[in-house]
Amino acid sequence: MSGTRVGAQSRALVIIFGLLCLLLQSEEAHHGTEYVVGDDKGWDLYPEVSNWGKDKHFKAGDVLVFKYSNPLFSVAAVDAKGYQSCSAKGHLKKLYNSGHDHVVLNKGQNYFICNVIDYCGYGMRIAVHAE
């Protein structure tokens, strides 16, 4: 009888261990690498911001951190047409305006523009591909 009990306890421990491994694996998939958009300069109007990220390899689940202190700035997650036209109107997926926004990348193309009129046209936008 004690052998049956030990066997059942061993199976229960194996099942619990397996479930914990799956849970940890799932947590890792949801928390990717964090990248500060614009690096030290942050999300601001300067020529290099539109080229930021072109030398990086992003994965779905990675997090972009948009840091900005100007209260007029915002980050608009838009579709491809919104990115091309520099307009969130009719193309907005989500608007961020905390000054320290954390955005989880989806698989495929991710588009972001500054929602201040003309700033996107001056280059305050990025397109990021996540695998």
Side-chain angles (χ1 to χ4, degrees):
M1 192 182 219
S2 66
T4 305
R5 204 161 136 198
V6 170
Q9 287 176 340
S10 295
R11 282 191 298 276
L13 286 174
V14 168
I15 290 170
I16 290 171
F17 180 74
L19 290 173
L20 283 173
C21 288
L22 286 173
L23 179 65
L24 290 174
Q25 207 172 26
S26 173
E27 284 297 312
E28 285 178 12
H30 287 89
H31 300 290
T33 303
E34 273 195 9
Y35 296 92
V36 176
V37 175
D39 300 317
D40 293 339
K41 294 180 182 179
W43 180 240
D44 207 342
L45 185 60
Y46 60 92
E48 302 86 34
V49 77
S50 61
N51 291 318
W52 180 87
K54 295 202 187 292
D55 61 340
K56 295 173 177 43
H57 182 77
F58 299 102
K59 294 182 180 177
D62 284 349
V63 178
L64 298 186
V65 180
F66 290 85
K67 292 183 180 181
Y68 49 97
S69 58
N70 188 326
L72 297 176
F73 289 175
S74 61
V75 179
V78 295
D79 60 22
K81 287 184 180 181
Y83 180 81
Q84 292 164 354
S85 67
C86 279
S87 174
K89 188 173 183 178
H91 304 287
L92 183 66
K93 292 183 176 183
K94 187 164 184 179
L95 183 65
Y96 302 89
N97 57 11
S98 74
H100 197 261
D101 308 313
H102 289 73
V103 180
V104 178
L105 292 175
N106 295 315
K107 186 173 183 169
Q109 282 298 119
N110 296 259
Y111 300 99
F112 305 96
I113 64 173
C114 181
N115 206 31
V116 176
I117 295 174
D118 293 334
Y119 280 46
C120 174
Y122 292 128
M124 203 166 167
R125 64 180 175 170
I126 61 169
V128 173
H129 182 79
E131 294 182 8

